[in-house]
Amino acid sequence: MENSLTRREFLKMAGAGTAAASLLGASAAGCSTESLPDQPERTPTADSPNNMNVILIIVDTLRKDHIGAYGNDWIKTPSLDALAKESLRFTRAYPESLPTICARRAIHTGMRTWPFRDYKPPVDEPLFIYGWMPIPEDQRTLAETLQSKRYETMLVTDTYHQFEPSYNFHRGFDTFNIIRGQTTDHYRPERFCPQEKLDQSLLKGGKPVEGKLRRYFANNYAKGAARQSEEDWFAPQVFTRAGEFLEGAGQEQPFFLVVDSFDPHEPWDPPEKYANLYDGGYEGKEPYVPSYGRSDYLTERELKRMQGLYAAEVTMMDRWLGRFLETVEAKGLFENTMLILLGDHGHCLGEHGYVGKPEPALYPELVEVPFLIRHPEGKGAGQTTDHYASTHDVAPTILGALGLQAREPMDGQDLSVLLDGEEPPQRAHFTLGFEYYARTQDDRYVMISLNDGTEARLFDLQEDPEMRTDISGSHPDIVKRMFEEYVLKDAGGPLPNYEKEEFKQQQA
């Protein structure tokens, strides 16, 4: 495989920095790309065979089809597009389960979360989200493994779920930094919510929407604490803090840095200059948060505005990702740092008649995510692969690239072999789960059903790649085969039914 240009050379030739500056003003390219002196050479050790640094970037709710490198021609993502040119790009990447916490359990451990057999439903409480729980204590995290190999381990995130009191996603990190204030963060009392912000919000969908916004506005727009500049939004804070963590990193020991950005997750309230890129002149109430489910409660204009706000959040995240990548380059770290970027899941914005992340809507807009691997030697740069990739492949891929072994076997695959022109074991199909739904696909069909195989939908990807026409009624044999040979085989037997009282008693 051919080596790639350095990021600095690529930016000069492609004009990505210039494009970003002209898009949003000169400050977009304000971070210097002057290279600092090379990092001191480090001698490989038996514990850490090659001492390569690793940066893992997780972007929540990032749809693959909203990125230029994946074919989008109307949303501005110059930083992601430049990174993709230097990376191996996966065209068929999916979370093995979703949403947020389920996907991160798999990312941090290399173990499948679906079919959620370790889930313990809350006693005498409404069911929450299947698989939504701390990392099981018997599962070793990637950070713990690298920490034991003398890596400096760091985590920067605003994805507050990970830091709720009963959760343990900080395991193995020498330093973990949480940016407070996202929508579910009990950071400031809800009474601090400015009424004028709530009044300008579209609250169709009832109390769940209003509750999310009250908390979010209280956290970020309370009197005396309202945002003053773009730097006060979340993506800028996350990527700026991550850049600060690089100061002096990698000089005495290799490092593992996880940068986990919740944006472009809702609420979608980007600075006006970003919103105007996609939907200027809107005068209605702002659809900051969708009511998960069918989209028919929104007018065509409201839905268009929602789509524009999401696109604006993607572009703002991309700008600050670019500034972080420029910091990596300026510190001379790209020469010895592997970088992986992926999303955890997507988001429905009216496609197939859904908005939000409703469980039945396991369509491309919800489950297809970006996945990029940039190797410091340029391996795989600019190439694509249609090998099925997933969240539970991240940990074994990083360990494989470093020449390290996990203490216990992992469920995921080491995808780093693709960088050397080799092939991991082929996946003839791929299965994922969300709550009580399962989705499985092969090169021809996608099948979506309940955990017991009922209410199935079947789509022919060759004839209907956008999955518009359900053909399950005319092909029951294919539905039955895919459920039995794919779903049940991958799950290791019948899927749990958490509604059953005997299951609750077994787990109590």
Side-chain angles (χ1 to χ4, degrees), residues 152-407:
E152 180 185 10
T153 54
M154 302 172 283
L155 169 63
V156 178
T157 183
D158 63 331
T159 306
Y160 174 71
H161 303 306
Q162 299 175 88
F163 289 87
E164 292 174 2
S166 61
Y167 282 70
N168 59 356
F169 284 77
H170 62 286
R171 283 170 45 187
F173 288 102
D174 301 318
T175 306
F176 49 94
N177 193 289
I178 175 72
I179 309 296
R180 298 293 302 272
Q182 278 288 7
T183 180
T184 58
D185 188 358
H186 292 257
Y187 185 43
R188 290 190 174 96
E190 285 190 19
R191 66 178 182 276
F192 286 13
C193 170
Q195 187 60 42
E196 61 271 19
K197 291 292 294 183
L198 207 59
D199 291 342
Q200 74 182 51
S201 304
L202 182 67
L203 300 179
K204 290 181 181 179
K207 290 184 178 180
V209 172
E210 181 176 343
K212 287 182 179 180
L213 286 173
R214 280 188 178 278
R215 175 71 62 190
Y216 182 81
F217 291 148
N219 289 342
N220 299 287
Y221 292 96
K223 184 178 180 180
R227 291 163 166 165
Q228 301 298 315
S229 66
E230 183 177 333
E231 286 75 7
D232 295 327
W233 265 257
F234 284 107
Q237 291 187 69
V238 169
F239 287 112
T240 298
R241 186 69 50 80
E244 293 169 353
F245 273 28
L246 293 177
E247 187 64 38
Q251 294 184 5
E252 297 182 0
Q253 64 186 119
F255 68 83
F256 171 53
L257 171 63
V258 177
V259 187
D260 190 340
S261 173
F262 201 45
D263 285 347
H265 194 285
E266 73 219 39
W268 302 306
D269 70 328
E272 186 176 355
K273 65 181 180 182
Y274 291 98
N276 287 340
L277 288 172
Y278 305 105
D279 189 34
Y282 180 75
E283 296 181 353
K285 292 194 173 185
E286 296 286 8
Y288 293 126
V289 173
S291 177
Y292 289 8
R294 304 301 304 186
S295 61
D296 53 9
Y297 75 95
L298 295 164
T299 67
E300 184 176 340
R301 185 66 186 92
E302 291 166 347
L303 186 58
K304 181 176 182 291
R305 179 62 172 180
M306 183 179 289
Q307 294 165 349
L309 291 178
Y310 175 81
E313 292 266 355
V314 170
T315 294
M316 179 173 68
M317 180 281 300
D318 180 85
R319 178 195 177 189
W320 290 90
L321 166 66
R323 296 192 68 164
F324 170 73
L325 296 178
E326 289 180 350
T327 299
V328 177
E329 173 65 21
K331 294 185 178 300
L333 293 171
F334 267 131
E335 285 72 13
N336 193 40
T337 300
M338 184 175 74
L339 186 148
I340 294 179
L341 181 145
L342 79 161
D344 62 345
H345 54 72
H347 199 102
C348 301
L349 295 168
E351 303 87 358
H352 295 93
Y354 287 100
V355 290
K357 299 190 290 288
E359 296 87 353
L362 296 177
Y363 296 106
E365 54 269 18
L366 184 57
V367 301
E368 293 189 358
V369 298
F371 196 131
L372 307 173
I373 302 178
R374 184 195 187 280
H375 193 275
E377 297 175 12
K379 296 179 179 180
Q383 299 183 10
T384 61
T385 174
D386 63 359
H387 184 85
Y388 286 119
S390 186
T391 42
H392 65 308
D393 296 327
V394 172
T397 296
I398 289 174
L399 293 177
L402 297 176
L404 298 174
Q405 293 288 330
R407 189 169 65 182

Side-chain angles (χ1 to χ4, degrees), residues 342-480:
L342 79 161
D344 62 345
H345 54 72
H347 199 102
C348 301
L349 295 168
E351 303 87 358
H352 295 93
Y354 287 100
V355 290
K357 299 190 290 288
E359 296 87 353
L362 296 177
Y363 296 106
E365 54 269 18
L366 184 57
V367 301
E368 293 189 358
V369 298
F371 196 131
L372 307 173
I373 302 178
R374 184 195 187 280
H375 193 275
E377 297 175 12
K379 296 179 179 180
Q383 299 183 10
T384 61
T385 174
D386 63 359
H387 184 85
Y388 286 119
S390 186
T391 42
H392 65 308
D393 296 327
V394 172
T397 296
I398 289 174
L399 293 177
L402 297 176
L404 298 174
Q405 293 288 330
R407 189 169 65 182
E408 295 89 14
M410 293 180 172
D411 294 333
Q413 291 185 339
D414 173 11
L415 303 179
S416 72
V417 300
L418 289 161
L419 300 172
D420 293 315
E422 302 175 15
E423 290 288 336
Q426 288 300 302
R427 288 167 166 159
H429 67 274
F430 190 80
T431 304
L432 62 87
F434 182 15
E435 285 275 342
Y436 40 89
Y437 280 86
R439 180 190 196 272
T440 191
Q441 75 176 75
D442 54 26
D443 289 340
R444 182 69 185 270
Y445 299 104
V446 169
M447 194 278 292
I448 302 169
S449 74
L450 290 173
N451 277 358
D452 59 4
T454 61
E455 298 187 21
R457 286 161 282 160
L458 181 69
F459 303 92
D460 186 334
L461 294 177
Q462 291 184 10
E463 302 294 331
D464 179 27
E466 294 184 354
M467 297 172 57
R468 298 291 180 185
T469 304
D470 175 14
I471 60 171
S472 59
S474 57
H475 295 282
D477 55 327
I478 297 176
V479 171
K480 183 174 184 294

Side-chain angles (χ1 to χ4, degrees), residues 67-80:
I67 300 171
Y70 280 97
N72 187 284
D73 61 1
W74 66 277
I75 297 176
K76 296 172 174 59
T77 55
S79 302
L80 283 165

